[in-house]
Amino acid sequence: MTDDDLSAGILRRPYLLATVGSCALVFMVAFEAMAVTTIMPRVGRELDGLELYALAFAAPLATSVVGMVVAGNWADRRGPAGPLYASVVLFAAGLLIAGTALSMPVFVAGRFVQGLGGGAMTVALYVVIARAYPARLHAKMFAAFAAVWVVPSMVGPFAAGVVAELVGWHWVFLGVVVLVVPALAMTVPALRQMRGPAGSTSSAVPWNFGRIGWAVLAGVAVLAVNLSGQVPAAGWLIAVAALLAALFAVRPLVPRGTLTAGRGLPSVILLRGVVSAAFFGAEVYMPYLLTERYGFSPAFAGLAITGSALAWATSSGIQGRWGARISNEVAIKVGTWLVLAVLLLELAAVLFAWPPLPAIICWTFGGAGMGLMFPRLSTMTIGLSEPDAQGFNSSALSISDSIGSALALAMAGMIFNLLAAGYGFGGVFALTALIAAVGLLVSPRATAAVAGSRPAVLAPK
């Protein structure tokens, strides 16, 4: 490595192409995520499938687990190029299926395919960062990923609402497909130079079909939790059984001690899932709340998500710029407290019938809390990973994200449907606030990791 390499930033050679290509892919995912959250109430009504509202969000989260495990294993064997190319193709195919759907089951099927690609893409990009960038640039890259959400956050929700009103929601999905080709093309030059970790061979890290099988079981269990509400008599029994099955299946997919909040890396990964469950379990109901209770149009309901995402990107950029001046402990604890406080305020807004403006402002601060802690959890995961475990641990972090969010959505959906007469939104915010409180208990164990230390064994055997 030359002196120029050591002094280069993420937007200078030799990292420029990798940065632009990776951020372009994140931009594509960001635009789709912001758009879908805004238009889902209309999609559910037009396809006569509001009972599958939560499942439409949980479906890609559940199938993403399989994509994450396969991509992580593949990246540890051959590097991130192959899984990244495959993931982009799957993601685009899912968008096409959802965008041309004429029924809710077909729409959900498109979301299944989309989740496979999106999950694999996330892991592949994390490994790109681990392999292509020095440790000093990891925090800046994760902050850049968050900053890339700014433009979609500013125009995505409102634009999606306008498109849905003027030409139909189908074009929100079909329009995102246009971004796929240029985003992938920009990654090609950088990925051609990447292979597996230094000194590794394809046989050093074998295909682990056992973990892939556990990932499939975890995804099926998550979907069973979401669909349990469709069984009136035994719905809750099925939900509990499926929840236990999901937790059992996820154990081989994460570092040992994750589900019991072991100190260091296990708690880092667990905390990522807990805060994702709290925040995203509530976020998907914000546009629903504004359209159903306050009569907002889809375009203006998206403004609540816009403010939150902008705050997320801003606080993420601040923590990345300040670096070590904000410790991991401070960033994570402050971020978790902010999320909990916001969820409690949203609960109060629903119970006491506050006007919409306080609810929108509160949600903005929730995004700031997430932006403060999310990049730090990603950086800590990479820093605590051995080179031949970067794919596994990156996939474990993303799996925790997806499983946590999907299970929270399933439970929120059941509570929302159970509590009639306008109390459903209150039940959702109460549940997610409780989950955020659990995050406060886990956060001290996550920050107990010693900077620069690496546990001898990171993955279950």
Side-chain angles (χ1 to χ4, degrees):
M1 182 175 288
T2 67
D3 291 339
D4 289 340
D5 292 345
L6 291 172
S7 62
I10 62 174
L11 292 177
R12 297 180 62 184
R13 292 184 177 180
Y15 309 115
L16 177 61
L17 285 177
T19 298
V20 173
S22 298
C23 288
L25 290 171
V26 173
F27 178 91
M28 178 181 67
V29 175
F31 190 90
E32 184 274 340
M34 301 304 299
V36 170
T37 302
T38 302
I39 65 170
M40 271 307 302
R42 171 163 291 198
V43 173
R45 284 192 294 269
E46 290 192 7
L47 297 182
D48 194 25
L50 281 175
E51 70 279 0
L52 298 179
Y53 183 88
L55 180 61
F57 287 101
L61 294 174
T63 56
S64 69
V65 174
V66 180
M68 291 168 190
V69 172
V70 173
N73 198 171
W74 192 352
D76 284 339
R77 283 173 53 81
R78 296 285 191 175
L84 188 58
Y85 295 147
S87 67
V88 172
V89 172
L90 280 172
F91 186 77
L95 289 173
L96 288 171
I97 295 171
T100 56
L102 298 178
S103 67
M104 197 64 172
V106 174
F107 177 84
V108 172
R111 299 284 284 165
F112 272 101
V113 178
Q114 197 177 327
L116 282 171
M121 192 188 308
T122 299
V123 171
L125 287 175
Y126 277 29
V127 179
V128 167
I129 293 175
R131 304 271 169 87
Y133 297 82
R136 64 183 178 82
L137 295 179
H138 289 170
K140 290 186 177 180
M141 273 303 298
F142 287 120
F145 280 2
V148 167
W149 283 70
V150 171
V151 173
S153 301
M154 291 176 63
V155 303
F158 184 79
V162 171
V163 170
E165 292 174 16
L166 295 181
V167 296
W169 60 264
H170 297 273
W171 287 102
V172 175
F173 292 92
L174 298 176
V176 177
V177 178
V178 178
L179 300 174
V180 171
V181 174
L184 182 60
M186 282 186 283
T187 68
V188 172
L191 290 175
R192 280 177 177 169
Q193 302 177 5
M194 295 187 194
R195 294 294 183 267
S200 70
T201 64
S202 62
S203 60
V205 182
W207 281 110
N208 195 320
F209 295 106
R211 284 189 186 140
I212 295 173
W214 285 116
V216 172
L217 177 59
V220 171
V222 168
L223 292 174
V225 177
N226 279 271
L227 292 171
S228 61
Q230 306 299 314
V231 184
W236 283 99
L237 290 176
I238 294 174
V240 171
L243 176 61
L244 293 175
L247 295 177
F248 180 76
V250 99
R251 287 185 63 194
L253 308 179
V254 296
R256 285 196 296 251
T258 296
L259 298 183
T260 55
R263 286 181 175 273
L265 180 65
S267 283
V268 170
I269 291 175
L270 176 62
L271 182 61
R272 181 69 166 256
V274 170
V275 296
S276 295
F279 186 81
F280 296 118
E283 184 184 52
V284 299
Y285 284 91
M286 283 299 295
Y288 200 173
L289 172 68
L290 294 174
T291 55
E292 290 297 313
R293 179 165 293 192
Y294 299 107
F296 278 40
S297 68
F300 285 101
L303 292 177
I305 309 301
T306 297
S308 172
L310 285 173
W312 183 320
T314 300
S315 65
S316 180
I318 290 172
Q319 68 80 32
R321 190 176 303 112
W322 286 4
R325 283 180 287 178
I326 301 179
S327 68
N328 291 333
E329 182 177 6
V330 169
I332 289 172
K333 285 187 176 180
V334 171
T336 308
W337 270 111
L338 272 174
V339 172
L340 174 59
V342 164
L343 290 170
L344 290 173
L345 288 171
E346 295 292 353
L347 175 60
V350 169
L351 294 180
F352 299 109
W354 291 357
L357 185 58
I360 294 173
I361 294 174
C362 284
W363 196 246
T364 299
F365 284 95
M370 294 294 283
L372 193 60
M373 77 175 88
F374 244 56
R376 291 305 177 95
L377 294 173
S378 300
T379 302
M380 290 171 70
T381 299
I382 293 298
L384 291 167
S385 299
E386 297 291 351
D388 61 355
Q390 289 166 343
F392 174 84
N393 290 329
S394 295
S395 69
L397 188 71
S398 299
I399 286 168
S400 183
D401 250 346
S402 294
I403 292 290
S405 299
L407 292 177
L409 283 167
M411 292 184 288
M414 294 181 70
I415 290 173
F416 185 85
N417 293 328
L418 180 66
L419 299 178
Y423 291 102
F425 292 111
V428 168
F429 289 121
L431 170 68
T432 51
L434 179 61
I435 295 172
V438 173
L440 285 178
L441 300 177
V442 176
S443 61
R445 301 185 65 81
T447 55
V450 178
S453 66
R454 289 177 176 174
V457 180
L458 298 181
K461 298 297 184 183

